[in-house]
Amino acid sequence: MDFLKSAVASAIAKGSSFPVSLGDRVDIGDSIWTLHNGTRREDGSACSVFTFDIAANKSRLPLAKNAVRKSRTLRHPGVIKVLDTIENETNLYIVTERVVPLEWHVKRRSLSEETAKWGIYTVSSTLKFINEDASSVHGAVRASSVYTSESGEWKLGGFDILSSMKEDDAIIYTYGSLVPDAARFTPPEVVKGGWDAIKRHPLAAVDAYGLGILIFEVFNGSFSGGDQVGKTTNIPPSMQQSYKRLCTANPKLRLSPAHFVEQGKKHGGFFQTSLIRLTEDMESLGLKDDAEREEFINELDNLSDDFPEDFFKMKVLPELLKSVEFGGGGPKVLSATLKIGSKLSADEFNAKLTPVIVRLFGNPDRALRVCLLDNLPLMIDNLPQKIVNDKIFPQMTSGFTDIAPVVREQTVKAVLSVVGKLSDRVINGELLKFLARTANDEQPGIRTNTTICLGKIAKNLGESTRSKVLIAAFTRSIRDPFVHARNAGLLALSATIDTFTDEDCAGKILPAICPALLDKEKLVRDQANKTLELYIQRVRKFGSTMADTVLQPPTSSTSEANKSDARIGNSNDKSWAGWAISSFTNKLAAADGEIAPTAVPSKQSEDIPRPASVPRPTTSSPSIQSQPANKTLRPAAHPLSRSQSDRPVPVVQDEWHDAEEGDDVFDAWGAIEDDDDDDKGVDPFTAAVTSPNPSSPDPTATKASAVPYDDGGEPDFAGWLAAKNQAKTKNPLPKGLTKSTPAAKTVAKPRVVAPVKKIDTKPKDEDEDDGWGDAWD
């Protein structure tokens, strides 16, 4: 039957003329009222609706009507805010702000001590107002009469028997006992003498007793009866003495709610908490001076996370925003504002904070700008991408060129927070231009942070510009005079190694890292070694996957391939110059055959193609025998100032030694200069070149000519040079290269003919001529 009546009442409430739409029913325990969540039709705001069914509780109708009347007239921050009251023949309605029964939190024991003290302080202050200012008695103070608002504040309700003691026919005298479960909460003097006993005792005695029961319920979760009154179980030690005085059996000795608040507010009292002080200072925040505002912010920072978040969202945050935007709250108030705002949902943040933040970014106050940039990580997740890209970032860009270094530095740091919500056009256009400026900033810290910033946003850069920009920025940073900038460049290269191609790693980055290996700072040297090792490992790994060669396989015959291999040296030769030496000696080995003893070269021999390193054939002397060309020739060192063709070649009879045998190359080159012939007055070059004619009457010359010069089978380059010089209109050797002897002065110098060497006339491939010997022409 009760369900049917409730359904009918709900149907009536849902009529088009009813200003509120009823929602879910809320359980509030023993009460003459039924609580529903509701929505106001005029603006869609949330509300609560207390409904009283007249037919079902006709005997308690006076209590309901008294509650409606008192709710309209009683106004206090600690009292439930009434939006509207509706009366008809079947129901009474009290439309209030959205509230939740305090009993929900009490039974779950979900209230922290600080929150409980804050709530008890609010209820005590409200009772002080009712008792002293309104000269009234609530009469039903308990947990079921207290509610919490959306902001987490405790609100006093249950005005069923609220009565003014100035009225002779106050409802509390007649209907006080009709309150549900009155016997459990009634004070001892009322139990003995009835509600008229209120007239004979202090006005606040009844409500003080109820306040003591409320305190017990809050800290213990429930209250079973009078035997628990005054027990200090779970009551904070600082509050126990005053709590006992609230619950004393003698009403004249009880501590009134006003005195209870006064004792709690004393220095070191139980109501001296950060949350309570914050509540009291909130409304006057805009009127405080700098010192008072500083103290307020310090109190705000001391609040722990177990304080009611709803209170900060609904009450503290709006006041802080007003103070920041209009009251000169400054950076500290803004920091507190953003800290609270980080706990808002995305919708709440956009509704309450986003418009203010956008306006603050346009504020010329540098302190506010720096504070906003510093706190961007706390709010960036709640800011829409379009707002960041179109409204916030354009105002941030002025910070890149600000004259204050701290603004420039914080702007660079803030890039890491906003880059994820910027478009590609903005990142690869405007942002990189501004970062290019800060990379050359006069402040070394800003240059360092720019390098770090680029390293962290590398993945956000476009593929077409990423490698080019990062290599230029990081390699420049490695050369920075500031040690931490150099270290940051190396760290950034290590972190972004996957960004670069293998060719860039080997050709651009490794050469830039190497100078840092000898940096004056050990910090940089150590990091350079680590970074270098990373890049070397990557380059080696890539090199191991490359093909052995990109040359096309040979298509000529096997003999030509073998001949080509002979010219370029053996690929198995491991000496550093083995291929070059082999190429030189194999040219000589390729000139097979004997030297023809003809005096004048034939036309056919002149037309035969020859390598540049083979001398032009001349007439040969009959006394000179052809020698087999089967040994290697050791080249001599020549002055750099003379051309190769005008330089005589000394003939040294010792053979070339393989480089792997460990001979010192520089000692071998110096042996020519220390020849013992110099000490005898005979130049080794002249001795080889000016061989006398066998027909000379000089016995010394005859003896010398009897045995032709034998260099072990190699071509007579010395003789060839002498003949060539004779052919050039007797052009002598340069001054100082030859030494004249007495015997040489008396002997006419005959024409010396060099032997002719047969040359392989088979044409060679063009790629076989590697240019060796061209200088000998």
Side-chain angles (χ1 to χ4, degrees):
M1 189 66 181
D2 293 338
F3 173 77
L4 181 59
K5 292 179 179 179
S6 177
V8 173
S10 179
I12 296 173
K14 291 179 181 178
S16 59
S17 60
F18 198 73
V20 179
S21 297
L22 294 181
D24 299 333
R25 178 176 174 175
V26 180
D27 183 17
I28 58 174
D30 294 333
S31 176
I32 66 174
W33 297 93
T34 301
L35 180 61
H36 291 265
N37 291 329
T39 303
R40 301 185 69 183
R41 292 181 175 176
E42 62 179 4
D43 56 6
S45 60
C47 63
S48 292
V49 182
F50 291 87
T51 64
F52 178 80
D53 189 348
I54 297 176
N57 296 283
K58 196 169 186 177
S59 60
R60 294 173 174 172
L61 181 58
L63 301 181
K65 288 186 176 182
N66 182 69
V68 171
R69 186 173 66 254
K70 295 300 182 180
S71 297
R72 289 173 179 169
T73 57
L74 190 62
R75 291 289 184 269
H76 188 270
V79 172
I80 296 177
K81 183 180 180 181
V82 177
L83 304 176
D84 197 2
T85 59
I86 303 170
E87 299 183 32
N88 54 37
E89 297 178 355
T90 58
N91 292 276
L92 300 179
Y93 301 95
I94 303 176
V95 182
T96 68
E97 60 181 319
R98 177 65 64 87
V99 292
V100 174
L102 178 65
E103 282 187 316
W104 287 10
H105 304 289
V106 169
K107 290 178 180 179
R108 290 197 302 263
R109 305 290 295 274
S110 61
L111 297 172
S112 66
E113 181 176 330
E114 291 295 325
T115 303
K117 287 182 178 180
W118 173 55
I120 292 171
Y121 171 75
T122 302
V123 173
S124 301
S125 300
T126 303
L127 289 175
K128 173 185 176 182
F129 166 76
I130 292 175
N131 295 153
E132 295 186 355
D133 298 338
S135 301
S136 301
V137 176
H138 186 282
V141 179
R142 61 190 75 169
S144 60
S145 298
V146 182
Y147 300 83
T148 59
S149 65
E150 289 184 300
S151 61
E153 297 173 278
W154 290 19
K155 302 286 187 175
L156 185 60
F159 298 146
D160 300 342
I161 57 174
L162 178 64
S163 303
S164 174
M165 294 297 99
K166 296 179 180 179
E167 300 175 357
D168 295 335
D169 56 347
I171 194 173
I172 192 172
Y173 301 137
T174 308
Y175 298 98
S177 57
L178 294 179
V179 176
D181 207 8
R184 186 154 54 104
F185 299 95
T186 302
E189 67 274 15
V190 175
V191 172
K192 294 180 181 178
W195 288 98
D196 288 339
I198 297 175
K199 299 177 181 179
R200 300 188 295 270
H201 300 294
L203 181 145
V206 174
D207 290 340
Y209 188 84
L211 179 60
I213 294 175
L214 173 64
I215 293 173
F216 185 88
E217 286 183 285
V218 167
F219 288 107
N220 292 276
S222 62
F223 176 75
S224 58
D227 57 337
Q228 291 182 328
V229 176
K231 290 186 177 181
T232 58
T233 306
N234 297 325
I235 305 297
S238 60
M239 191 183 291
Q240 289 180 4
Q241 189 64 33
S242 299
Y243 158 74
K244 288 180 179 181
R245 293 188 60 185
L246 288 174
C247 303
T248 183
N250 188 346
K252 294 182 180 180
L253 299 178
R254 285 180 196 152
L255 194 66
S256 67
H259 287 91
F260 181 74
V261 170
E262 183 180 350
Q263 289 190 0
K265 293 291 291 178
K266 288 182 180 179
H267 181 69
F270 47 85
F271 284 153
Q272 286 291 326
T273 66
S274 299
L275 187 57
I276 293 175
R277 287 194 293 268
L278 175 68
T279 306
E280 292 182 336
D281 294 341
M282 184 60 58
E283 295 182 359
S284 60
L285 179 60
L287 303 176
K288 294 181 179 298
D289 56 22
D290 292 341
E292 292 174 335
R293 189 180 293 111
E294 181 84 12
E295 183 180 358
F296 171 80
I297 296 302
N298 291 335
E299 291 288 350
L300 193 61
D301 291 338
N302 292 333
L303 297 179
S304 59
D305 293 336
D306 60 351
F307 291 159
E309 293 183 5
D310 292 335
F311 174 71
F312 289 99
K313 295 177 184 179
M314 303 293 295
K315 292 293 184 180
V316 178
L317 186 59
E319 295 297 328
L320 292 178
L321 290 175
K322 292 178 184 177
S323 177
V324 170
E325 197 168 6
F326 307 111
K332 288 197 171 183
V333 177
L334 178 60
S335 298
T337 303
L338 298 177
K339 183 178 179 180
I340 297 171
S342 64
K343 299 180 180 181
L344 299 175
S345 65
D347 293 338
E348 292 173 333
F349 192 95
N350 289 327
K352 298 179 179 180
L353 274 182
T354 300
V356 178
I357 291 172
V358 172
R359 290 194 296 268
L360 289 178
F361 265 106
N363 195 308
D365 187 350
R366 286 194 177 92
L368 279 178
R369 290 287 298 276
V370 170
C371 184
L372 282 170
L373 295 171
D374 194 38
N375 286 277
L376 263 178
L378 297 177
M379 55 183 173
I380 191 63
D381 292 337
N382 294 321
L383 292 172
Q385 182 176 358
K386 185 174 181 60
I387 295 294
V388 175
N389 191 78
D390 298 344
K391 295 183 178 181
I392 293 180
F393 182 76
Q395 298 186 62
M396 281 179 55
T397 56
S398 62
F400 289 108
T401 57
D402 196 275
I403 61 174
V406 66
V407 178
R408 300 198 302 272
E409 184 171 10
Q410 289 298 329
T411 305
V412 171
K413 292 180 179 179
V415 170
L416 299 179
S417 300
V418 302
V419 70
K421 295 196 173 184
L422 299 179
S423 65
D424 292 340
R425 181 185 59 80
V426 172
I427 293 174
N428 296 286
E430 297 178 53
L431 179 58
L432 287 183
K433 290 180 181 178
F434 285 115
L435 290 179
R437 293 174 62 98
T438 56
N440 298 318
D441 198 275
E442 61 181 7
Q443 296 293 326
I446 296 177
R447 299 197 301 269
T448 304
N449 286 328
T450 302
T451 301
I452 296 172
C453 176
L454 284 171
K456 291 187 175 182
I457 69 171
K459 61 181 181 297
N460 300 99
L461 301 180
E463 294 184 2
S464 60
T465 59
R466 180 188 305 160
S467 177
K468 186 176 182 180
V469 170
L470 295 184
I471 290 176
F474 297 159
T475 54
R476 181 185 183 123
S477 182
I478 295 176
R479 304 189 302 270
D480 196 286
F482 187 50
V483 57
H484 296 292
R486 300 197 296 275
N487 191 54
L490 293 168
L491 288 171
L493 284 173
S494 300
T496 58
I497 186 171
D498 295 333
T499 304
F500 310 112
T501 63
D502 298 287
E503 291 75 10
D504 286 341
C505 291
K508 298 179 180 179
I509 298 177
L510 280 175
I513 296 175
C514 289
L517 297 173
L518 298 179
D519 195 274
K520 295 181 180 180
E521 299 293 335
K522 186 176 184 299
L523 173 68
V524 179
R525 293 196 300 272
D526 292 345
Q527 185 57 47
N529 279 282
K530 295 177 183 178
T531 306
L532 184 72
E533 185 63 27
L534 289 176
Y535 278 86
I536 288 180
Q537 289 178 3
R538 174 173 173 180
V539 171
R540 285 176 176 170
K541 183 178 179 181
F542 178 74
S544 65
T545 63
M546 298 176 67
D548 293 343
T549 180
V550 296
L551 299 178
Q552 295 295 330
T555 58
S556 60
S557 63
T558 305
S559 60
E560 292 178 351
N562 293 338
K563 190 174 295 184
S564 177
D565 291 342
R567 292 188 68 243
I568 64 174
N570 189 351
S571 61
N572 294 326
D573 190 352
K574 303 302 181 182
S575 62
W576 72 274
W579 68 271
I581 297 172
S582 298
S583 177
F584 173 73
T585 58
N586 284 321
K587 274 178 176 270
L588 301 180
D592 54 355
E594 297 181 352
I595 301 177
T598 57
V600 178
S602 64
K603 180 176 178 57
Q604 181 181 0
S605 65
E606 293 178 354
D607 297 335
I608 296 175
R610 61 181 180 84
S613 61
V614 178
R616 191 180 303 276
T618 61
T619 58
S620 174
S621 173
S623 63
I624 299 179
Q625 301 175 357
S626 61
Q627 301 294 334
N630 57 359
K631 293 187 179 181
T632 58
L633 186 66
R634 181 174 184 176
H638 305 289
L640 297 178
S641 61
R642 299 184 58 193
S643 66
Q644 193 80 349
S645 61
D646 297 334
R647 194 175 297 130
V649 180
V651 179
V652 184
Q653 294 185 3
D654 56 337
E655 298 180 352
W656 279 87
H657 297 285
D658 196 309
E660 293 181 352
E661 295 180 2
D663 292 343
D664 191 343
V665 177
F666 297 99
D667 293 340
W669 282 56
I672 298 176
E673 299 177 0
D674 298 331
D675 199 304
D676 293 338
D677 292 341
D678 293 343
D679 297 336
K680 298 176 183 180
V682 179
D683 186 85
F685 291 92
T686 308
V689 173
T690 59
S691 299
N693 194 304
S695 61
S696 173
D698 193 337
T700 306
T702 305
K703 184 178 180 180
S705 63
V707 179
Y709 178 76
D710 184 8
D711 63 349
E714 293 292 345
D716 188 5
F717 284 96
W720 170 76
L721 286 173
K724 185 175 182 180
N725 292 333
Q726 187 77 12
K728 293 182 179 180
T729 64
K730 299 182 180 181
N731 186 19
L733 291 174
K735 183 179 181 180
L737 188 60
T738 62
K739 295 182 180 180
S740 61
T741 61
K745 293 179 180 179
T746 61
V747 179
K749 296 182 180 179
R751 181 184 179 191
V752 180
V753 181
V756 178
K757 183 194 302 181
K758 287 187 179 181
I759 300 174
D760 187 4
T761 60
K762 184 178 180 179
K764 297 182 180 180
D765 296 336
E766 292 182 358
D767 60 348
E768 291 183 4
D769 188 3
D770 55 2
W772 278 89
D774 291 344
W776 292 85
D777 268 337

mmCIF file of all heavy atoms in Angstrom, residues 55 268 280 475 533 736:
data_model
loop_
_atom_site.group_PDB
_atom_site.id
_atom_site.type_symbol
_atom_site.label_atom_id
_atom_site.label_comp_id
_atom_site.label_asym_id
_atom_site.label_seq_id
_atom_site.Cartn_x
_atom_site.Cartn_y
_atom_site.Cartn_z
ATOM 1 N N ALA A 55 -1.375 11.503 3.779
ATOM 2 C CA ALA A 55 -2.279 10.413 4.139
ATOM 3 C C ALA A 55 -1.590 9.355 4.973
ATOM 4 O O ALA A 55 -2.174 8.777 5.899
ATOM 5 C CB ALA A 55 -2.869 9.800 2.878
ATOM 6 N N GLY A 268 45.858 26.235 20.057
ATOM 7 C CA GLY A 268 46.129 24.823 20.291
ATOM 8 C C GLY A 268 44.879 23.997 20.502
ATOM 9 O O GLY A 268 44.983 22.812 20.827
ATOM 10 N N GLU A 280 37.253 29.511 6.986
ATOM 11 C CA GLU A 280 36.947 30.830 7.516
ATOM 12 C C GLU A 280 37.542 31.954 6.673
ATOM 13 O O GLU A 280 36.957 33.035 6.555
ATOM 14 C CB GLU A 280 37.461 30.934 8.960
ATOM 15 C CG GLU A 280 36.709 30.047 9.934
ATOM 16 C CD GLU A 280 37.218 30.221 11.345
ATOM 17 O OE1 GLU A 280 38.388 30.644 11.499
ATOM 18 O OE2 GLU A 280 36.459 29.953 12.289
ATOM 19 N N THR A 475 75.139 18.262 -33.220
ATOM 20 C CA THR A 475 76.568 18.414 -33.493
ATOM 21 C C THR A 475 77.057 19.811 -33.137
ATOM 22 O O THR A 475 78.201 19.985 -32.710
ATOM 23 C CB THR A 475 76.859 18.130 -34.980
ATOM 24 O OG1 THR A 475 76.024 18.965 -35.805
ATOM 25 C CG2 THR A 475 76.578 16.676 -35.315
ATOM 26 N N GLU A 533 80.521 4.451 -28.827
ATOM 27 C CA GLU A 533 80.376 2.996 -28.861
ATOM 28 C C GLU A 533 79.018 2.590 -29.422
ATOM 29 O O GLU A 533 78.913 1.635 -30.203
ATOM 30 C CB GLU A 533 80.553 2.432 -27.445
ATOM 31 C CG GLU A 533 80.546 0.918 -27.377
ATOM 32 C CD GLU A 533 81.690 0.286 -28.137
ATOM 33 O OE1 GLU A 533 82.738 0.946 -28.287
ATOM 34 O OE2 GLU A 533 81.523 -0.864 -28.591
ATOM 35 N N GLY A 736 125.728 19.554 -59.746
ATOM 36 C CA GLY A 736 125.792 18.952 -58.426
ATOM 37 C C GLY A 736 125.412 17.496 -58.393
ATOM 38 O O GLY A 736 125.630 16.826 -57.399
#
